[in-house]
Amino acid sequence: MSKFSASDAAFSGFRLVRENLKTIAVWAAVMTVLSIISNVLAIQFFGPKLELLLGYISDNANPDPEEVARRAADLAPLMPWLLSYSLIVNGVIFAALNRLVLRHHDSRLAYLRLGKEELRQAAVWLLTSLVLMATLFVGSAVSGFLGAMGGATGAFLALLGLVGSFCAMIYLAIRLSFAPAVTFETGKVTLFKSLPETKGLFWSLLGAYLLAAVMSVIVVLLIWTIVSAIGLIASGDLSATGKMLRADTSSLKAYFTPAGIVQALFSGVISILTTLIVFGPAPTIYRELKGGAPDTPTTGGW
């Protein structure tokens, strides 16, 4: 395997957007439609309860965890639907991303499908999430046990336990970051086969992923700054502009306002852009390390 440039890899998501504008536009449109449908269904059946939770979190700088848990408990029936929706959407999007990078010639339907490859990607993301959550849970449990010792020593050990569990989760997330690409390439759900592929690359991957995450935050802030500026110029109402950042979910009538529609439209675009910027480097690096290249040269633009 060859080495790779962390700084160059961090910007691979931007290159994917620039070189596949038409495809990305289709993805953004599909994500926007799915997001609106999902929001409409959630608001139709859980609108008032959802608004109470979101309103409480947004209106309080330091929300009470017990109060958040109490309000979230009212939305328990919504959780299975949200989980299923997230798994299917992630499976489709990440299969499309891997197909775009690793099998560029297979561009039918803008790389979007719904089949075995998408189900395998959903399974990988579910397994990865469970492993990372289990790591954090075990670390938190150990930290709580150490904290029970009391005194300055117990507090210090508890802090070390929390920091250690967080570092372990980050380490695993990076070492397992090639799992979707390996799964896509082999046609089998794999998780820990990513470990030999990322051996000796932890710090380079960490640098690439951190830089990509920072770029993603900058892009999101830039987009919302532009949207807010447009809203302020159009309405002259700063408070109304702020509502574009979070639509009213208390009812469908409250949701389908200019602010709600703008929020829904841009949330789909932001979702696709952040996915490409943050997660695009992994399959790109994997392809480069394998000595591969896109099947066909990109023509750029539309």
Side-chain angles (χ1 to χ4, degrees):
M1 285 190 179
S2 60
K3 296 295 182 181
F4 67 95
S5 169
S7 58
D8 185 62
F11 289 93
S12 58
F14 288 96
R15 289 194 296 273
L16 289 174
V17 174
R18 185 186 71 244
E19 296 171 354
N20 302 275
L21 285 178
K22 185 175 181 179
T23 295
I24 304 310
V26 173
W27 291 7
V30 171
M31 180 60 71
T32 298
V33 172
L34 290 176
S35 177
I36 291 176
I37 293 175
S38 175
N39 289 340
V40 167
L41 291 175
I43 293 171
Q44 178 66 31
F45 296 102
F46 300 95
K49 295 178 180 179
L50 186 61
E51 181 63 23
L52 286 174
L53 174 62
L54 297 177
Y56 177 76
I57 294 175
S58 63
D59 294 338
N60 293 274
N62 296 301
D64 181 11
E66 293 185 0
E67 180 64 17
V68 172
R70 186 185 67 80
R71 299 192 182 205
D74 295 333
L75 297 171
L78 183 60
M79 294 303 107
W81 152 250
L82 290 179
L83 177 60
S84 301
Y85 171 80
S86 298
L87 284 175
I88 293 174
V89 170
N90 281 338
V92 170
I93 292 299
F94 285 104
L97 173 58
N98 281 283
R99 191 174 288 116
L100 173 66
V101 175
L102 302 176
R103 202 188 299 163
H104 190 78
H105 69 280
D106 191 8
S107 59
R108 181 171 53 90
L109 299 177
Y111 301 96
L112 296 173
R113 318 284 162 74
L114 184 58
K116 293 181 179 180
E117 290 181 331
E118 285 68 27
L119 293 178
R120 284 193 289 265
Q121 290 296 312
V124 167
W125 280 99
L126 177 60
L127 291 174
T128 302
S129 299
L130 291 176
V131 169
L132 297 181
M133 287 190 295
T135 302
L136 190 60
F137 175 80
V138 171
S140 300
V142 172
S143 178
F145 175 77
L146 295 174
M149 296 173 59
T153 301
F156 178 71
L157 291 176
L159 178 61
L160 284 182
L162 284 176
V163 173
S165 63
F166 181 76
C167 291
M169 185 181 69
I170 296 298
Y171 177 79
L172 275 176
I174 292 174
R175 293 298 307 276
L176 298 175
S177 61
F178 285 177
V182 176
T183 295
F184 184 84
E185 186 178 57
T186 61
K188 298 179 181 179
V189 176
T190 61
L191 189 62
F192 295 108
K193 286 185 179 180
S194 172
L195 296 177
E197 302 290 347
T198 56
K199 184 178 180 180
L201 301 174
F202 173 79
W203 294 109
S204 297
L205 291 173
L206 176 63
Y209 297 160
L210 280 178
L211 184 55
V214 171
M215 292 298 102
S216 174
V217 172
I218 293 175
V219 168
V220 171
L221 292 177
L222 179 61
I223 291 176
W224 281 123
T225 299
I226 295 173
V227 173
S228 299
I230 294 174
L232 180 60
I233 294 173
S235 65
D237 185 356
L238 184 60
S239 62
T241 302
K243 293 179 180 178
M244 291 184 180
L245 300 178
R246 188 183 73 80
D248 189 337
T249 58
S250 59
S251 67
L252 291 177
K253 182 179 180 180
Y255 177 72
F256 283 108
T257 60
I261 294 174
V262 169
Q263 189 268 350
L265 291 176
F266 278 91
S267 64
V269 174
I270 289 175
S271 176
I272 292 299
L273 289 179
T274 53
T275 297
L276 285 166
I277 294 171
V278 174
F279 296 103
T284 303
I285 295 170
Y286 176 79
R287 184 195 67 205
E288 182 178 343
L289 293 175
K290 289 292 188 179
D295 297 306
T296 57
T298 53
T299 57
W302 288 78

